[in-house]
Amino acid sequence: DLLGLGSFLDRLRTGGPDQPLFKVQYPNMKKSFEKAQEKCGLKNVKYVMYQARHGGPSHDRRHKLRSLVEVKQRGRWVGDSSLRRYEAHARVQQEEGKETLQVQLLGAAAAKSLETLFHA
């Protein structure tokens, strides 16, 4: 459970496992995501929400957080070819390198803060 996020989200759940966790319409969420990027000073890269699906496996493998089998289970991929499509260490490094050192350090600090919050 990376950063304790899964257990944190389980505590937020009010409906059953087949119900959405958040009742937010995609266009509204997308607009909020884009505003958050602006406020954080993320100007060098245009991020999209779907990158979490792409970046997660690469991040997990690059930092040796999960085995290939665990990454595959996490992404609910049946075939290895599906996993390979999403796993791209070099691409993650390339994207991370586009941001300023200040933004990279702020991102690392935010991850630590989230880890503390999720385990509270």
Side-chain angles (χ1 to χ4, degrees):
D1 183 0
L2 187 63
L3 300 177
L5 180 59
S7 56
F8 178 79
L9 292 175
D10 280 343
R11 292 194 307 259
L12 293 178
R13 181 177 297 284
T14 57
D18 59 332
Q19 298 296 311
L21 182 60
F22 302 106
K23 292 178 173 68
V24 179
Q25 298 297 316
Y26 179 80
N28 295 338
M29 188 168 58
K30 183 177 182 279
K31 186 186 277 187
S32 295
F33 184 81
E34 290 168 352
K35 281 184 182 178
Q37 287 184 72
E38 287 177 30
K39 284 186 175 187
C40 291
L42 301 175
K43 300 174 185 151
N44 298 333
V45 179
K46 174 84 169 134
Y47 295 102
V48 294
M49 291 185 295
Y50 199 69
Q51 280 174 298
R53 176 116 171 118
H54 287 268
S58 297
H59 178 270
D60 289 353
R61 295 295 296 145
R62 180 170 165 229
H63 296 285
K64 297 179 172 65
L65 298 173
R66 291 186 171 86
S67 70
L68 278 174
V69 171
E70 291 169 325
V71 169
K72 200 163 129 177
Q73 289 171 339
R74 176 183 180 224
R76 293 183 220 108
W77 291 295
V78 177
D80 291 339
S81 61
S82 297
L83 171 61
R84 282 192 297 274
R85 189 174 354 169
Y86 288 101
E87 184 186 21
H89 302 337
R91 178 87 167 131
V92 170
Q93 282 180 300
Q94 182 183 26
E95 292 300 307
E96 286 176 351
K98 290 180 182 177
E99 290 299 351
T100 65
L101 179 59
Q102 180 183 11
V103 167
Q104 291 178 40
L105 292 172
L106 286 170
K112 283 268 187 222
S113 295
L114 288 173
E115 186 173 6
T116 302
L117 172 69
F118 295 151
H119 289 291

